[in-house]
Amino acid sequence: MPASSPRKKKSLWSQTGPTPRLLFGAFVIATIGLLGLTPKEFFGLSIAWPYAALWGAVGWGRVGLSVRPMLLLIMFGLIQDVTFHAPLGCFVIVNLVCYGASAMIADMFDVMNEPLIAILSPVLLFSGAFLVLWLIASTLEDHPVRAVPLMASLLTTGIIYAVGQKIFDLGRAPGEGVGQAT
């Protein structure tokens, strides 16, 4: 019996193209968003709910700019504007700025191969996005709004992203063929 060479089995996710990955990430964001419309209390304690659209902005931006993720982030931003009673376009701006900054960082550094950058860039992007949200909210209220609820949501958003970041990894830019450089 001949000895067979061990084959590396690729996971289904690694064989999946960018479009199904994008759609699955959008499904996760939409599901978390819908669950966020329900009461968020557990034994009388309020649960800090994540801003799931930022997961897509940070993760999808790692492969560069593309129209389809931007359209999804605009759609999610408009839904967030309506559900949070924010002025139309606030969350759209935050999502797109975070997406653009993520693409810029990925273009400047090799995010996939640099562990320090791969950890620091989401931390900086989420912190920047929540700072912009706080500034917008404070400007609209004419006084500084409480930062503790936003900080709790920032931590929740960051921790969940750290655990599930592969969900938002497109692998390559949408529309780019297999084997092309990213």
Side-chain angles (χ1 to χ4, degrees):
M1 186 168 174
S4 62
S5 64
R7 291 184 183 174
K8 285 188 175 181
K9 290 187 178 182
K10 290 188 175 183
S11 68
L12 180 62
W13 188 252
S14 66
Q15 295 175 348
T16 304
T19 300
R21 288 179 179 209
L22 181 68
L23 293 175
F24 183 74
F27 173 75
V28 169
I29 291 170
T31 302
I32 296 297
L34 285 174
L35 290 174
L37 297 176
T38 62
K40 297 172 283 283
E41 286 193 12
F42 188 68
F43 293 115
L45 297 173
S46 181
I47 298 172
W49 203 253
Y51 287 68
L54 290 177
W55 297 333
V58 171
W60 295 336
R62 293 174 71 172
V63 296
L65 297 177
S66 183
V67 172
R68 291 184 290 175
M70 282 191 249
L71 291 175
L72 284 171
L73 290 171
I74 289 169
M75 180 185 70
F76 288 135
L78 290 173
I79 292 169
Q80 286 174 298
D81 289 337
V82 170
T83 57
F84 289 118
H85 305 291
L88 209 55
C90 286
F91 281 96
V92 173
I93 291 169
V94 170
N95 291 344
L96 291 178
V97 166
C98 189
Y99 176 71
S102 178
M104 182 188 72
I105 289 171
D107 189 44
M108 288 173 55
F109 304 100
D110 187 4
V111 177
M112 301 301 180
N113 293 328
E114 287 292 331
L116 184 63
I117 300 299
I119 292 169
L120 282 180
S121 65
V123 169
L124 291 174
L125 290 166
F126 289 138
S127 299
F130 277 90
L131 177 63
V132 170
L133 283 174
W134 181 80
L135 288 171
I136 290 172
S138 295
T139 302
L140 293 173
E141 291 292 323
D142 289 332
H143 63 84
V145 297
R146 290 185 46 215
V148 173
L150 276 177
M151 292 299 292
S153 291
L154 167 66
L155 287 173
T156 306
T157 302
I159 290 169
I160 294 174
Y161 179 78
V163 172
Q165 67 180 332
K166 288 288 186 191
I167 295 171
F168 304 100
D169 178 14
L170 297 179
R172 58 186 180 272
E176 183 179 83
V178 177
Q180 292 180 344
T182 54

